[in-house]
Amino acid sequence: MAAYTTALTCAFWRPEQPALLAAGLFLAGITYGALGVAFGSLLRREVEGMFAVVMTSVIDLALQNPLYSSRSNGSIVRYLPCYGAMQAATGAGFSTTPLPEYLAIQTGWFAAAALVGLLAFHSRTRNSLSRTRPHVIAPSTR
């Protein structure tokens, strides 16, 4: 998906570092995928998980957008889930300076979200598996 998005972007605009743009988009996508697994494992119904992912992404990206938020460079923005991907993708579009530190930040967010999702999934499924008993057929007494 990141390659497709980067190719489509390059058809209409020439970013300075298309590979870094693709990497930032890819890391943003897998981070939100991992957040979806975490929300899906922690919340009871699918609608709650979808709402949590959508609202997280809307708030995350709206606070980083300088057109919508006057505090887009504030200190709290650095702790949002897609801060690293947004900085890497923006830098890739307008600068020739490599920005691996922002990709590292985004990789950390992905790892943390994936760990939370895996632990929550393990916690939820471990209890279900311990309650199931194998079905034993009693021998006939004929």
Side-chain angles (χ1 to χ4, degrees):
M1 190 68 167
Y4 168 76
T5 305
T6 303
L8 191 61
T9 300
C10 289
F12 296 100
W13 177 57
R14 176 132 169 90
E16 295 293 325
Q17 300 177 70
L20 182 62
L21 177 63
L25 293 172
F26 175 75
L27 285 172
I30 64 171
T31 299
Y32 275 115
L35 284 172
V37 169
F39 287 145
S41 297
L42 293 171
L43 300 173
R44 299 220 181 263
R45 293 181 292 193
E46 293 87 11
V47 174
E48 295 168 348
M50 288 181 60
F51 182 76
V53 168
V54 168
M55 290 309 297
T56 301
S57 65
V58 166
I59 291 169
D60 178 14
L61 298 176
L63 287 176
Q64 293 185 56
N65 189 340
L67 297 176
Y68 294 128
S69 174
S70 62
R71 297 254 181 199
S72 63
N73 61 351
S75 62
I76 190 125
V77 174
R78 297 176 194 270
Y79 301 108
L80 294 175
C82 271
Y83 173 76
M86 177 74 86
Q87 297 300 315
T90 303
F94 299 105
S95 172
T96 57
T97 305
L99 301 168
E101 65 271 9
Y102 292 115
L103 293 178
I105 291 170
Q106 195 62 42
T107 303
W109 263 101
F110 165 69
L115 180 65
V116 168
L118 289 172
L119 291 174
F121 182 75
H122 174 71
S123 173
R124 294 280 177 134
T125 57
R126 182 180 51 128
N127 294 339
S128 297
L129 291 175
S130 66
R131 283 185 266 168
T132 61
R133 295 183 184 144
H135 182 65
V136 177
I137 300 173
S140 72
T141 56
R142 288 189 195 192

